[in-house]
mmCIF file of all heavy atoms in Angstrom:
data_model
loop_
_atom_site.group_PDB
_atom_site.id
_atom_site.type_symbol
_atom_site.label_atom_id
_atom_site.label_comp_id
_atom_site.label_asym_id
_atom_site.label_seq_id
_atom_site.Cartn_x
_atom_site.Cartn_y
_atom_site.Cartn_z
ATOM 1 N N ARG A 560 -80.607 -102.328 12.801
ATOM 2 C CA ARG A 560 -80.367 -102.195 14.244
ATOM 3 C C ARG A 560 -80.833 -100.819 14.732
ATOM 4 O O ARG A 560 -81.346 -100.679 15.853
ATOM 5 C CB ARG A 560 -78.879 -102.401 14.556
ATOM 6 C CG ARG A 560 -78.455 -103.862 14.512
ATOM 7 C CD ARG A 560 -76.956 -104.004 14.679
ATOM 8 N NE ARG A 560 -76.498 -103.829 16.043
ATOM 9 C CZ ARG A 560 -76.349 -104.807 16.927
ATOM 10 N NH1 ARG A 560 -76.644 -106.054 16.594
ATOM 11 N NH2 ARG A 560 -75.893 -104.568 18.130
ATOM 12 N N GLU A 561 -80.676 -99.793 13.901
ATOM 13 C CA GLU A 561 -81.099 -98.452 14.304
ATOM 14 C C GLU A 561 -82.627 -98.375 14.396
ATOM 15 O O GLU A 561 -83.164 -97.722 15.291
ATOM 16 C CB GLU A 561 -80.558 -97.423 13.308
ATOM 17 C CG GLU A 561 -80.361 -96.043 13.898
ATOM 18 C CD GLU A 561 -79.216 -95.969 14.914
ATOM 19 O OE1 GLU A 561 -78.484 -96.966 15.110
ATOM 20 O OE2 GLU A 561 -79.049 -94.888 15.524
ATOM 21 N N TRP A 562 -83.314 -99.053 13.478
ATOM 22 C CA TRP A 562 -84.771 -99.129 13.598
ATOM 23 C C TRP A 562 -85.177 -99.825 14.892
ATOM 24 O O TRP A 562 -86.135 -99.418 15.560
ATOM 25 C CB TRP A 562 -85.364 -99.887 12.403
ATOM 26 C CG TRP A 562 -85.531 -99.052 11.173
ATOM 27 C CD1 TRP A 562 -84.771 -99.089 10.047
ATOM 28 C CD2 TRP A 562 -86.515 -98.028 10.947
ATOM 29 N NE1 TRP A 562 -85.224 -98.165 9.127
ATOM 30 C CE2 TRP A 562 -86.288 -97.505 9.662
ATOM 31 C CE3 TRP A 562 -87.562 -97.523 11.708
ATOM 32 C CZ2 TRP A 562 -87.083 -96.489 9.110
ATOM 33 C CZ3 TRP A 562 -88.351 -96.504 11.169
ATOM 34 C CH2 TRP A 562 -88.104 -96.001 9.885
ATOM 35 N N CYS A 563 -84.446 -100.862 15.261
ATOM 36 C CA CYS A 563 -84.736 -101.569 16.520
ATOM 37 C C CYS A 563 -84.396 -100.696 17.725
ATOM 38 O O CYS A 563 -85.079 -100.766 18.759
ATOM 39 C CB CYS A 563 -83.955 -102.884 16.579
ATOM 40 S SG CYS A 563 -84.528 -104.114 15.384
ATOM 41 N N LEU A 564 -83.355 -99.884 17.614
ATOM 42 C CA LEU A 564 -83.010 -98.942 18.675
ATOM 43 C C LEU A 564 -84.154 -97.957 18.900
ATOM 44 O O LEU A 564 -84.511 -97.632 20.041
ATOM 45 C CB LEU A 564 -81.723 -98.201 18.335
ATOM 46 C CG LEU A 564 -81.285 -97.105 19.311
ATOM 47 C CD1 LEU A 564 -80.886 -97.707 20.655
ATOM 48 C CD2 LEU A 564 -80.113 -96.300 18.729
ATOM 49 N N PHE A 565 -84.735 -97.499 17.802
ATOM 50 C CA PHE A 565 -85.889 -96.589 17.875
ATOM 51 C C PHE A 565 -87.048 -97.241 18.616
ATOM 52 O O PHE A 565 -87.666 -96.650 19.512
ATOM 53 C CB PHE A 565 -86.290 -96.180 16.458
ATOM 54 C CG PHE A 565 -87.599 -95.454 16.359
ATOM 55 C CD1 PHE A 565 -87.850 -94.310 17.107
ATOM 56 C CD2 PHE A 565 -88.600 -95.920 15.503
ATOM 57 C CE1 PHE A 565 -89.064 -93.636 17.009
ATOM 58 C CE2 PHE A 565 -89.809 -95.252 15.396
ATOM 59 C CZ PHE A 565 -90.046 -94.122 16.151
ATOM 60 N N ARG A 566 -87.355 -98.510 18.266
ATOM 61 C CA ARG A 566 -88.435 -99.219 18.941
ATOM 62 C C ARG A 566 -88.099 -99.450 20.417
ATOM 63 O O ARG A 566 -88.975 -99.406 21.290
ATOM 64 C CB ARG A 566 -88.707 -100.567 18.247
ATOM 65 C CG ARG A 566 -89.208 -100.444 16.829
ATOM 66 C CD ARG A 566 -90.562 -99.787 16.762
ATOM 67 N NE ARG A 566 -91.545 -100.582 17.485
ATOM 68 C CZ ARG A 566 -92.661 -100.088 17.988
ATOM 69 N NH1 ARG A 566 -92.915 -98.792 17.887
ATOM 70 N NH2 ARG A 566 -93.521 -100.866 18.614
ATOM 71 N N TYR A 567 -86.821 -99.679 20.712
ATOM 72 C CA TYR A 567 -86.384 -99.861 22.099
ATOM 73 C C TYR A 567 -86.589 -98.570 22.893
ATOM 74 O O TYR A 567 -87.016 -98.597 24.053
ATOM 75 C CB TYR A 567 -84.914 -100.269 22.116
ATOM 76 C CG TYR A 567 -84.339 -100.480 23.492
ATOM 77 C CD1 TYR A 567 -84.736 -101.559 24.277
ATOM 78 C CD2 TYR A 567 -83.390 -99.603 24.014
ATOM 79 C CE1 TYR A 567 -84.199 -101.755 25.544
ATOM 80 C CE2 TYR A 567 -82.846 -99.790 25.264
ATOM 81 C CZ TYR A 567 -83.259 -100.862 26.035
ATOM 82 O OH TYR A 567 -82.730 -101.058 27.290
ATOM 83 N N LYS A 568 -86.306 -97.438 22.258
ATOM 84 C CA LYS A 568 -86.509 -96.144 22.898
ATOM 85 C C LYS A 568 -87.986 -95.933 23.227
ATOM 86 O O LYS A 568 -88.345 -95.427 24.290
ATOM 87 C CB LYS A 568 -86.016 -95.042 21.958
ATOM 88 C CG LYS A 568 -86.448 -93.624 22.287
ATOM 89 C CD LYS A 568 -85.698 -93.038 23.449
ATOM 90 C CE LYS A 568 -86.036 -91.558 23.615
ATOM 91 N NZ LYS A 568 -85.416 -90.977 24.822
ATOM 92 N N VAL A 569 -88.867 -96.359 22.313
ATOM 93 C CA VAL A 569 -90.300 -96.132 22.478
ATOM 94 C C VAL A 569 -90.922 -97.118 23.465
ATOM 95 O O VAL A 569 -91.744 -96.738 24.319
ATOM 96 C CB VAL A 569 -91.023 -96.222 21.113
ATOM 97 C CG1 VAL A 569 -92.539 -96.169 21.281
ATOM 98 C CG2 VAL A 569 -90.543 -95.105 20.189
ATOM 99 N N THR A 570 -90.536 -98.389 23.367
ATOM 100 C CA THR A 570 -91.199 -99.441 24.146
ATOM 101 C C THR A 570 -90.417 -99.892 25.373
ATOM 102 O O THR A 570 -90.974 -100.525 26.264
ATOM 103 C CB THR A 570 -91.448 -100.683 23.265
ATOM 104 O OG1 THR A 570 -90.183 -101.259 22.880
ATOM 105 C CG2 THR A 570 -92.229 -100.317 22.009
ATOM 106 N N GLY A 571 -89.113 -99.607 25.414
ATOM 107 C CA GLY A 571 -88.286 -100.050 26.531
ATOM 108 C C GLY A 571 -87.888 -101.507 26.460
ATOM 109 O O GLY A 571 -87.370 -102.068 27.428
ATOM 110 N N ARG A 572 -88.114 -102.169 25.304
ATOM 111 C CA ARG A 572 -87.732 -103.570 25.184
ATOM 112 C C ARG A 572 -87.334 -103.869 23.740
ATOM 113 O O ARG A 572 -87.615 -103.088 22.827
ATOM 114 C CB ARG A 572 -88.889 -104.487 25.600
ATOM 115 C CG ARG A 572 -90.120 -104.363 24.733
ATOM 116 C CD ARG A 572 -91.286 -105.174 25.277
ATOM 117 N NE ARG A 572 -92.451 -105.096 24.389
ATOM 118 C CZ ARG A 572 -92.654 -105.896 23.357
ATOM 119 N NH1 ARG A 572 -91.761 -106.845 23.077
ATOM 120 N NH2 ARG A 572 -93.727 -105.783 22.597
ATOM 121 N N ILE A 573 -86.694 -105.007 23.557
ATOM 122 C CA ILE A 573 -86.351 -105.484 22.231
ATOM 123 C C ILE A 573 -86.783 -106.947 22.137
ATOM 124 O O ILE A 573 -86.581 -107.724 23.072
ATOM 125 C CB ILE A 573 -84.840 -105.338 21.928
ATOM 126 C CG1 ILE A 573 -84.517 -105.928 20.546
ATOM 127 C CG2 ILE A 573 -83.974 -105.967 23.010
ATOM 128 C CD1 ILE A 573 -83.088 -105.683 20.109
ATOM 129 N N SER A 574 -87.400 -107.305 21.021
ATOM 130 C CA SER A 574 -87.882 -108.666 20.821
ATOM 131 C C SER A 574 -87.552 -109.135 19.412
ATOM 132 O O SER A 574 -87.220 -108.326 18.534
ATOM 133 C CB SER A 574 -89.406 -108.730 21.028
ATOM 134 O OG SER A 574 -90.071 -108.003 20.002
ATOM 135 N N LYS A 575 -87.671 -110.437 19.199
ATOM 136 C CA LYS A 575 -87.421 -110.982 17.868
ATOM 137 C C LYS A 575 -88.408 -110.401 16.865
ATOM 138 O O LYS A 575 -88.037 -110.116 15.713
ATOM 139 C CB LYS A 575 -87.524 -112.501 17.889
ATOM 140 C CG LYS A 575 -87.132 -113.146 16.551
ATOM 141 C CD LYS A 575 -87.258 -114.643 16.582
ATOM 142 C CE LYS A 575 -88.709 -115.071 16.530
ATOM 143 N NZ LYS A 575 -88.870 -116.522 16.414
ATOM 144 N N GLU A 576 -89.660 -110.213 17.266
ATOM 145 C CA GLU A 576 -90.661 -109.675 16.353
ATOM 146 C C GLU A 576 -90.332 -108.251 15.922
ATOM 147 O O GLU A 576 -90.616 -107.846 14.797
ATOM 148 C CB GLU A 576 -92.057 -109.732 16.993
ATOM 149 C CG GLU A 576 -92.669 -111.114 16.975
ATOM 150 C CD GLU A 576 -92.756 -111.697 15.562
ATOM 151 O OE1 GLU A 576 -93.306 -111.027 14.667
ATOM 152 O OE2 GLU A 576 -92.268 -112.823 15.357
ATOM 153 N N GLN A 577 -89.712 -107.481 16.809
ATOM 154 C CA GLN A 577 -89.283 -106.133 16.422
ATOM 155 C C GLN A 577 -88.187 -106.197 15.370
ATOM 156 O O GLN A 577 -88.159 -105.388 14.436
ATOM 157 C CB GLN A 577 -88.801 -105.364 17.653
ATOM 158 C CG GLN A 577 -89.915 -104.933 18.591
ATOM 159 C CD GLN A 577 -89.395 -104.244 19.833
ATOM 160 O OE1 GLN A 577 -88.194 -104.211 20.085
ATOM 161 N NE2 GLN A 577 -90.289 -103.694 20.632
ATOM 162 N N ILE A 578 -87.263 -107.147 15.500
ATOM 163 C CA ILE A 578 -86.202 -107.311 14.508
ATOM 164 C C ILE A 578 -86.793 -107.752 13.174
ATOM 165 O O ILE A 578 -86.408 -107.255 12.106
ATOM 166 C CB ILE A 578 -85.147 -108.323 14.999
ATOM 167 C CG1 ILE A 578 -84.553 -107.868 16.340
ATOM 168 C CG2 ILE A 578 -84.033 -108.471 13.965
ATOM 169 C CD1 ILE A 578 -83.612 -108.890 16.982
ATOM 170 N N VAL A 579 -87.755 -108.694 13.230
ATOM 171 C CA VAL A 579 -88.422 -109.158 12.008
ATOM 172 C C VAL A 579 -89.095 -107.991 11.294
ATOM 173 O O VAL A 579 -88.939 -107.802 10.077
ATOM 174 C CB VAL A 579 -89.469 -110.253 12.336
ATOM 175 C CG1 VAL A 579 -90.385 -110.507 11.140
ATOM 176 C CG2 VAL A 579 -88.769 -111.540 12.745
ATOM 177 N N GLU A 580 -89.838 -107.181 12.048
ATOM 178 C CA GLU A 580 -90.548 -106.045 11.443
ATOM 179 C C GLU A 580 -89.570 -105.049 10.827
ATOM 180 O O GLU A 580 -89.759 -104.595 9.693
ATOM 181 C CB GLU A 580 -91.420 -105.349 12.484
ATOM 182 C CG GLU A 580 -92.197 -104.178 11.887
ATOM 183 C CD GLU A 580 -92.989 -103.398 12.915
ATOM 184 O OE1 GLU A 580 -92.779 -103.611 14.125
ATOM 185 O OE2 GLU A 580 -93.811 -102.557 12.507
ATOM 186 N N ALA A 581 -88.518 -104.700 11.562
ATOM 187 C CA ALA A 581 -87.535 -103.754 11.038
ATOM 188 C C ALA A 581 -86.863 -104.299 9.781
ATOM 189 O O ALA A 581 -86.626 -103.562 8.820
ATOM 190 C CB ALA A 581 -86.488 -103.445 12.107
ATOM 191 N N ALA A 582 -86.574 -105.602 9.775
ATOM 192 C CA ALA A 582 -85.871 -106.222 8.650
ATOM 193 C C ALA A 582 -86.728 -106.241 7.398
ATOM 194 O O ALA A 582 -86.282 -105.836 6.319
ATOM 195 C CB ALA A 582 -85.433 -107.639 9.026
ATOM 196 N N PHE A 583 -87.973 -106.707 7.498
ATOM 197 C CA PHE A 583 -88.758 -106.837 6.268
ATOM 198 C C PHE A 583 -89.204 -105.467 5.749
ATOM 199 O O PHE A 583 -89.317 -105.257 4.535
ATOM 200 C CB PHE A 583 -89.936 -107.807 6.446
ATOM 201 C CG PHE A 583 -91.225 -107.234 6.969
ATOM 202 C CD1 PHE A 583 -92.065 -106.493 6.155
ATOM 203 C CD2 PHE A 583 -91.631 -107.485 8.277
ATOM 204 C CE1 PHE A 583 -93.265 -105.990 6.631
ATOM 205 C CE2 PHE A 583 -92.831 -106.998 8.754
ATOM 206 C CZ PHE A 583 -93.655 -106.240 7.930
ATOM 207 N N ARG A 584 -89.434 -104.502 6.642
ATOM 208 C CA ARG A 584 -89.806 -103.160 6.174
ATOM 209 C C ARG A 584 -88.630 -102.485 5.453
ATOM 210 O O ARG A 584 -88.807 -101.850 4.409
ATOM 211 C CB ARG A 584 -90.298 -102.303 7.333
ATOM 212 C CG ARG A 584 -91.664 -102.735 7.855
ATOM 213 C CD ARG A 584 -92.203 -101.800 8.908
ATOM 214 N NE ARG A 584 -93.498 -102.244 9.400
ATOM 215 C CZ ARG A 584 -94.654 -102.014 8.784
ATOM 216 N NH1 ARG A 584 -94.656 -101.319 7.653
ATOM 217 N NH2 ARG A 584 -95.790 -102.455 9.279
ATOM 218 N N TYR A 585 -87.442 -102.602 6.007
ATOM 219 C CA TYR A 585 -86.265 -102.046 5.324
ATOM 220 C C TYR A 585 -86.064 -102.745 3.980
ATOM 221 O O TYR A 585 -85.793 -102.101 2.964
ATOM 222 C CB TYR A 585 -85.022 -102.222 6.194
ATOM 223 C CG TYR A 585 -83.736 -101.985 5.440
ATOM 224 C CD1 TYR A 585 -83.304 -100.696 5.150
ATOM 225 C CD2 TYR A 585 -82.967 -103.057 4.977
ATOM 226 C CE1 TYR A 585 -82.127 -100.477 4.425
ATOM 227 C CE2 TYR A 585 -81.805 -102.848 4.257
ATOM 228 C CZ TYR A 585 -81.395 -101.563 3.991
ATOM 229 O OH TYR A 585 -80.232 -101.354 3.260
ATOM 230 N N SER A 586 -86.192 -104.074 3.971
ATOM 231 C CA SER A 586 -85.976 -104.839 2.747
ATOM 232 C C SER A 586 -86.944 -104.417 1.654
ATOM 233 O O SER A 586 -86.564 -104.292 0.486
ATOM 234 C CB SER A 586 -86.116 -106.337 3.030
ATOM 235 O OG SER A 586 -86.040 -107.085 1.840
ATOM 236 N N ARG A 587 -88.192 -104.190 2.007
ATOM 237 C CA ARG A 587 -89.173 -103.776 0.990
ATOM 238 C C ARG A 587 -88.782 -102.444 0.359
ATOM 239 O O ARG A 587 -88.927 -102.250 -0.852
ATOM 240 C CB ARG A 587 -90.570 -103.670 1.600
ATOM 241 C CG ARG A 587 -91.186 -105.022 1.838
ATOM 242 C CD ARG A 587 -92.692 -104.979 1.809
ATOM 243 N NE ARG A 587 -93.220 -106.310 2.075
ATOM 244 C CZ ARG A 587 -94.492 -106.584 2.263
ATOM 245 N NH1 ARG A 587 -95.381 -105.606 2.206
ATOM 246 N NH2 ARG A 587 -94.892 -107.813 2.491
#
């Protein structure tokens, strides 16, 4: 969620693809 917060700060929006990206990068 904090990674998504960072993307929200940068882009001004939140999307499912942002959650997917944050999730798989953290998981790796």
Side-chain angles (χ1 to χ4, degrees):
R560 284 174 76 92
E561 207 69 5
W562 278 106
C563 291
L564 176 67
F565 169 54
R566 296 295 299 156
Y567 180 69
K568 165 75 173 175
V569 172
T570 65
R572 63 186 183 87
I573 177 173
S574 67
K575 186 181 75 174
E576 283 304 307
Q577 287 177 352
I578 302 174
V579 167
E580 181 184 12
F583 88 76
R584 289 186 181 278
Y585 166 77
S586 174
R587 285 207 181 172

